[in-house]
Amino acid sequence: TAGVIWTLPYEWYFYLILPCLGLLIGTKNKAGSGIWLTMSMLCVIFFEAWQLDIMMFIAFAGGGAAAAIVRTPRLRDALRGPASNPAAIVCLAMGFTCFDYGSFPCLLVFATALTLLACGADLYGLLSMRPIRALSAVSYGVYLLQGLVLHIVLMFLVPESWRLTMTVPQYWGVVFVATVVLVGVSALSWQLIG
């Protein structure tokens, strides 16, 4: 799994509290009745027992908010205007330079950037370029395989004596080569597995 299973408790928690969320927004469905609603309420009441990092939960909620906004035509259209590209760039720049990584302000500006991108901001055509769109098709494979590829490259292909004495530029050179391999493996897995 390349060490990316940390998100599972957040996903499970989210799915389990959906009946309570549905109750809050007035959705009527089978999940809002009986045992599902009871289990959902227990999850909300015993949030501490899940031992979830609240900042990671907020980040997960930011992605959920972006997904909800992009599915609301009036909001999506309002966020597609000419100001969306500069606003997304400013949010990304602020997230990377102005705030401590993982802090609430950092998560807020990244969630805002994600929302703007999901609503149609393409960073002045950058995200519409053919190579970038091809990379987006294999991005889930990159996400899943990154730890595995880096581990194989660093543990089996780079001798330990060199690994322990690499300079920073040498290390990043190895990471660059591993990235090329990773994108190739991800593209191949996307073609073969889909």
Side-chain angles (χ1 to χ4, degrees), residues 37-179:
L37 188 56
T38 302
M39 189 166 48
S40 183
M41 285 185 196
L42 288 172
C43 285
V44 171
I45 292 167
F46 294 108
F47 175 79
E48 289 291 321
W50 283 77
Q51 298 179 352
L52 299 177
D53 180 340
I54 190 69
M55 297 313 284
M56 292 295 187
F57 191 76
I58 290 170
F60 190 81
I69 290 169
V70 81
R71 286 171 175 78
T72 307
R74 196 176 84 228
L75 290 174
R76 182 185 62 232
D77 293 343
L79 295 175
R80 270 193 181 154
S84 65
N85 279 315
I89 291 169
V90 167
C91 286
L92 290 170
M94 287 175 60
F96 285 116
T97 61
C98 297
F99 304 110
D100 291 334
Y101 186 73
S103 67
F104 182 76
C106 181
L107 294 175
L108 185 62
V109 295
F110 279 141
T112 303
L114 173 66
T115 302
L116 291 167
L117 295 170
C119 288
D122 66 355
L123 303 181
Y124 296 105
L126 177 69
L127 300 180
S128 299
M129 294 173 63
R130 198 172 197 172
I132 300 298
R133 293 186 61 84
L135 184 59
S136 75
V138 299
S139 64
Y140 191 64
V142 169
Y143 171 67
L144 290 177
L145 296 170
Q146 65 182 333
L148 181 63
V149 170
L150 281 172
H151 179 76
I152 289 170
V153 167
L154 289 172
M155 297 306 292
F156 299 112
L157 301 179
V158 176
E160 184 177 6
S161 60
W162 193 46
R163 200 171 52 238
L164 296 174
T165 59
M166 276 192 286
T167 63
V168 171
Q170 289 170 331
Y171 172 79
W172 284 109
V174 169
V175 169
F176 176 77
V177 170
T179 301

Side-chain angles (χ1 to χ4, degrees), residues 19-20 23 27-40:
C20 277
L23 191 64
T27 303
K28 294 182 178 170
N29 58 33
K30 292 178 185 175
S33 62
I35 187 132
W36 293 112
L37 188 56
T38 302
M39 189 166 48
S40 183

